[in-house]
């Protein structure tokens, strides 16, 4: 199954980031690291947002579909092998082994982790491009594969944040990173022949398919395509419009759960137990529904569902502010729903980015579009941390509800194709301005 083989490539990536953002801050803090040192881990998310800067190198080469698929497959294999080697190096360097944090060792580990983040971001550029090429004439494949992709990513995150973190006292620093490295190596056989003989992606223009190797200048000239064309600018604006109000509740609802009196054990079950299972199911369902109904209809449904969830967050926040007793089970269920809605959004937004991308420059176009979303979401995530305390929870969630209620009207102005049913779109969205 092509979709499953491609989705498996996101499993080690999710495992890496799950362990990185869940266990590592705690380990560093316990080892004597200051908050500023722990905060540097946030830089490791940067490569995902700026991968468009080197994405043209991944796309550069022969334009024929078979040659392009082989090129992206090679990038995926090479980056995964290099990431596994770098993870093995990190496994041998434990900055928390001595009494107190060794700053020099920590800096070395941080540099290696940043390199690994770049490698995984590059692998994701190649994987997204390969999927876009295979699905050039099969939009159903694109939707299904994106659902499975997100599900594998959430499963990997659960392995890193749940399994490895829970077992850390038994396995230790070295084995935790070695397991992540081995997981990546185990995924390599699934890449063999991926996209080579599926028969898809043959419908692109002859000039695009029959051209020879692209020059370096030509590859980097593609970087500005989304900004030069109205359709690309609209899609970037649309993704950014969704990113801001989506990041605000995701950033702060775990903190609200703690303030509302939920124990760490129950919050852990929400984030790593029920939330993970629900996210896996929501990611798969989002891809399946997008394949049957179109990404636009699913996006509209998710916006409505998110507004309802935010209204519920606001209601709970008002109740807590008035000193009323809040049912912990209801709060936990709302947290699981929030994670499920977020999982659905990640699938649909990635599909919308792929729809706008040109098959011959898919890696670059998708990286630019995803970069606009992730950089905006990162800024909104940070802003959420700054404004939550001054506003208070009722105003914070109330404001976010109001902003999200404006998403559909704003999308109609900025990127109407994002919420337009497939039958009402141009035959080739990637070419439409």
């Amino acid at each position: 199954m092509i979709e499953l083989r491609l989705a498996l490539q996101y499993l080690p990536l999710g495992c890496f980031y799950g362990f990185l953002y869940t266990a590592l801050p705690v380990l560093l803090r316990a080892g004597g690291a200051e908050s500023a040192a722990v905060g540097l881990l946030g830089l490791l998310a940067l490569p995902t947002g700026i991968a468009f800067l080197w994405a043209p190198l991944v796309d550069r080469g022969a334009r024929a579909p078979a040659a392009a698929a082989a090129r992206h497959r090679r990038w995926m294999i090479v980056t995964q092998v290099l990431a596994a080697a770098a993870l093995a190096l990190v496994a041998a360097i434990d900055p928390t082994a001595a009494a107190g944090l060794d700053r020099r060792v920590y800096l070395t580990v941080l540099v290696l982790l940043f390199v690994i983040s770049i490698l995984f971001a590059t692998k994701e550029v190649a994987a997204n491009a390969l999927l876009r090429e295979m699905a050039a004439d099969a939009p159903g494949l694109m939707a299904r594969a994106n659902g499975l992709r997100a599900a594998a990513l959430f499963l990997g995150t659960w392995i890193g944040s749940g399994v490895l973190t829970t077992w850390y006292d038994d396995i230790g620093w070295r084995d935790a990173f070695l397991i992540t490295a081995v997981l990546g190596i185990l995924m390599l056989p699934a890449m063999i022949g991926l996209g080579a003989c599926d028969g898809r992606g043959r419908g692109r223009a002859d000039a695009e398919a029959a051209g020879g190797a692209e020059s370096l200048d030509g590859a980097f000239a593609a970087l500005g395509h989304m900004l030069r064309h109205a359709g690309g600018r609209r899609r970037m604006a649309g993704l950014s419009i969704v990113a801001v109000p989506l990041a605000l509740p995701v950033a702060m609802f775990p903190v609200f759960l703690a303030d509302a009196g939920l124990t760490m054990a129950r919050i852990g079950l929400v984030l790593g137990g029920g939330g993970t299972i629900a996210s896996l199911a929501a990611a798969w369902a989002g891809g399946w529904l997008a394949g049957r109904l179109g990404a636009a209809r699913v996006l509209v449904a998710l916006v409505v569902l998110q507004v309802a969830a935010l209204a519920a967050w606001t209601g709970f926040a008002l109740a807590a502010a008035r000193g009323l007793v809040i049912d912990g089970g209801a709060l936990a269920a709302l947290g699981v729903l929030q994670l499920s809605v977020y999982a659905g959004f990640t699938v649909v937004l990635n599909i919308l980015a792929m729809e706008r991308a040109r098959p011959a420059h898919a890696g670059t176009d998708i990286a630019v579009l995803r970069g606009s979303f992730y950089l905006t979401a990162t800024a909104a995530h940070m802003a959420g941390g700054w404004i939550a305390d001054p506003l208070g929870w009722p105003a914070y969630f109330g404001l976010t509800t109001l902003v999200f209620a404006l998403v559909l009207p704003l999308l109609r102005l900025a990127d109407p194709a994002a919420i337009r049913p497939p039958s009402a779109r141009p035959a080739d969205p990637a070419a439409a301005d």
Side-chain angles (χ1 to χ4, degrees), residues 205-283:
D206 290 341
E208 192 175 271
E214 187 175 31
S215 69
L216 189 60
D217 290 343
F220 275 94
L223 193 59
H225 173 82
M226 288 294 162
L227 291 174
R228 290 194 300 268
H229 291 77
R233 292 194 298 270
R234 286 197 294 265
R235 185 53 45 90
M236 291 176 70
L239 293 174
S240 297
I241 286 170
V242 177
V244 174
L246 183 60
L248 291 174
V250 173
M252 299 306 295
F253 88 84
V255 181
F256 173 68
L257 294 181
D259 287 354
L262 266 68
T263 63
M264 287 302 296
R266 177 166 278 188
I267 293 174
L269 286 175
V270 170
L271 300 178
T276 299
I277 295 172
S279 295
L280 285 167

Side-chain angles (χ1 to χ4, degrees), residues 177-202:
F177 281 99
L178 285 179
I179 288 171
T180 307
V182 171
L183 183 61
I185 294 299
L186 291 175
M187 297 301 108
L188 290 176
M191 295 189 210
I192 298 174
L194 190 61
C197 302
D198 52 81
R200 296 181 175 91
R202 303 298 190 246

Side-chain angles (χ1 to χ4, degrees), residues 268-417:
L269 286 175
V270 170
L271 300 178
T276 299
I277 295 172
S279 295
L280 285 167
W284 176 84
W288 183 81
L289 288 172
R292 297 292 297 271
L293 304 175
R297 290 191 176 97
V298 178
L299 176 61
V300 172
L302 286 170
V303 170
V304 173
L305 190 58
Q306 179 63 84
V307 171
L310 284 168
W313 285 120
T314 305
F316 279 123
L318 285 169
R322 294 173 181 173
L324 301 177
V325 177
I326 302 176
D327 181 67
L331 263 183
L334 184 57
V336 170
L337 174 63
Q338 179 62 70
L339 291 173
S340 303
V341 173
Y342 179 76
F345 270 111
T346 61
V347 173
V348 172
L349 295 176
N350 209 58
I351 293 172
L352 291 174
M354 287 190 178
E355 285 180 349
R356 180 59 61 180
R358 301 160 295 164
H361 298 282
T364 301
D365 289 349
I366 295 169
V368 169
L369 292 168
R370 282 165 54 89
S372 68
F373 172 82
Y374 280 108
L375 293 177
T376 306
T378 299
H381 191 116
M382 296 173 62
W386 294 333
I387 67 175
D389 284 341
L391 288 178
W393 291 119
Y396 180 84
F397 285 119
L399 178 62
T400 307
T401 304
L402 177 61
V403 173
F404 225 112
L406 296 174
V407 163
L408 289 180
L410 290 173
L411 281 177
R412 286 192 180 94
L413 293 174
D415 186 18

Side-chain angles (χ1 to χ4, degrees), residues 27-129:
L27 295 173
L28 293 173
R29 189 65 168 175
E34 299 175 354
S35 297
V38 176
L40 290 175
L41 292 175
L43 293 173
L44 302 180
L46 187 60
T48 300
I50 62 172
F52 61 85
L53 295 176
W54 60 86
L57 294 174
V58 180
D59 278 338
R60 183 193 177 210
R63 299 184 185 181
R71 180 181 67 252
H72 289 125
R73 192 167 59 247
R74 285 195 298 271
W75 272 99
M76 291 168 64
I77 293 172
V78 170
T79 51
Q80 181 58 69
V81 170
L82 291 176
L87 284 165
L89 287 176
V90 173
I93 310 172
D94 184 355
T96 66
L101 186 72
D102 188 320
R103 294 180 180 273
R104 182 174 298 178
V105 174
Y106 176 57
L107 182 60
T108 302
V109 168
L110 197 64
V111 170
L112 284 172
L113 291 175
F114 193 78
V115 170
I116 295 168
S117 295
I118 291 175
L119 290 168
F120 275 136
T122 306
K123 179 185 176 182
E124 194 168 11
V125 169
N128 285 333

